[in-house]
Amino acid sequence: MPENRIMLDVLRGEARFPPPLWMMRQAGRYLPEYRETRKRAGSFLDLCYNPDLAVEVTLQPIERFGFDASILFSDILVVPHALGRDVRFEEGRGPLLTPITAAEISALNSETFHVNLEPVYETVRRLRAKLPDETTLIGFCGAPWTVATYMIAGHGTPDQAPARLFAYREPAAFQQLLKVLAIHSAAYLIRQIEAGADVVQIFDSWSGVLDDASFEAFCVAPVAEIVGKVRAVHPDVPIIGFPKGAGARYQTYREKTGVTGLGIDWTVPLDAAKALQAGGAVQGNLDPLRLVAGGTALSDGVDAILKALGDGPLIFNLGHGITPETPVAHVEAMVKQVRSATR
Ligand code: CP3
């Protein structure tokens, strides 16, 4: 592992100031150059599976802002797609899938899984070759629970009611679905690491809607399984878990899953985040809407995070993905403020 990737130092538990910096969804519609490439790509999934164009959009935010980390351009829903499910993205509507039935779960097709995902692995290989040496390359997958919510509902929902109901009504089929997703997500992350990813992140965007027992069974257990499988092959590769909305459960999530770093959303109080740093790096947690607003909303938010968490292992990031309406000038201002910060 190169010595000059400061994000890796932080993930080993060291403090760096100014902290390493990147943004979730940093390649995306707020960037004019992304919108230009997107027009050439055909569908969104065509873009994810086109190494030339996926490399191009992954590098755009690195070239513009010089972030410390680059996240592979892809989507969490390539996993169900590679397992044979119908997945589409429609302009303005987000992802649309054919809802899976209990009977269809055992018919999920693993045979061509890695063949289908080969363009993603090729993108990772080319990225590691092209990125500056000091830039950390992040691979990722969705956590089984979050991916399952889309597979069951067929689209995004505010409270994941279709998946919660399915889990209660069809517990055996639901457990089988989580199992299939955990096994394939682990294999997918291992291939990304072997193609050149330095770190992997597991996105559990909908972990905040579950009761205690369900959080344990649907979020913690499958992610612990993925972490165990990846560590068995690549013990030194840091794994970041991002259980968005986990609230009071962040601490136990880290302990029970064994993730190296913890992504925290913007609702996590900074004193609680400080306490979490005792167990390792935290990543976050600027409210993305402060970045949309700019001005003092932005500078005060950045300042508060740096003051509260800058002495410990911190990866500066947003508390969730950047939104398309964010002005590029506000991102520039944030980068400048973080980079020029002094203790
Ligand atoms: O962070 C990055 O820059 C890497 C790329 C990335 C995308 N999606 C690209 C994308 C990553 C890491 C994701 C993860 C993802 N995808 C998550 C987890 C993180 C989160 O946001 O909670 C989820 C839940 C998805 C599923 C998904 N993909 C949704 C709900 C949507 C629609 C919402 C939207 O912003 O349109 C997508 C589409 C998507 N994924 C876009 C991008 C750049 C926009 C589509 C487009 O460009 O037309």
Side-chain angles (χ1 to χ4, degrees), residues 22-29 34 38 44 47-48 61 71-77 89 91-95 140 142 146 150 156 203-206 242 244 320-322 324:
W22 69 284
M23 298 190 304
M24 287 187 276
R25 292 279 186 98
Q26 62 192 14
R29 285 167 296 183
Y34 172 83
R38 179 79 176 75
F44 175 72
L47 174 55
C48 293
I71 183 160
L72 159 71
F73 188 85
S74 180
D75 196 83
I76 63 169
L77 298 177
F89 287 82
E91 213 52 57
R93 290 191 67 190
F140 72 92
T146 288
Y150 289 97
F203 285 91
D204 215 345
S205 307
W206 295 114
F242 178 40
K244 180 173 178 283
H320 195 200
I322 185 171

Side-chain angles (χ1 to χ4, degrees), residues 27-28 85 87 94 103-104 118 136 191 201 242 251 257 291 331:
R85 301 302 297 170
V87 179
E104 285 168 332
E118 178 48 37
T136 300
R191 293 282 181 115
Q201 176 157 328
F242 178 40
Q251 180 67 33
T257 60
L291 193 57
V331 180

Side-chain angles (χ1 to χ4, degrees), residues 5-16 20 22 69 136-138 198-201 231 236-241 254 259-263 279-283 312-315:
R5 295 182 192 154
I6 66 164
M7 180 156 150
L8 297 178
D9 299 336
V10 170
L11 285 164
R12 276 190 291 266
E14 294 167 29
R16 286 283 177 277
W22 69 284
T136 300
L137 177 57
I138 306 171
D198 305 302
V199 171
V200 290
Q201 176 157 328
R231 287 263 161 79
D236 299 328
V237 173
I239 303 172
I240 301 172
R254 180 182 340 239
V259 293
T260 325
L262 209 47
V282 298
Q283 173 175 283
L314 169 69
I315 299 161

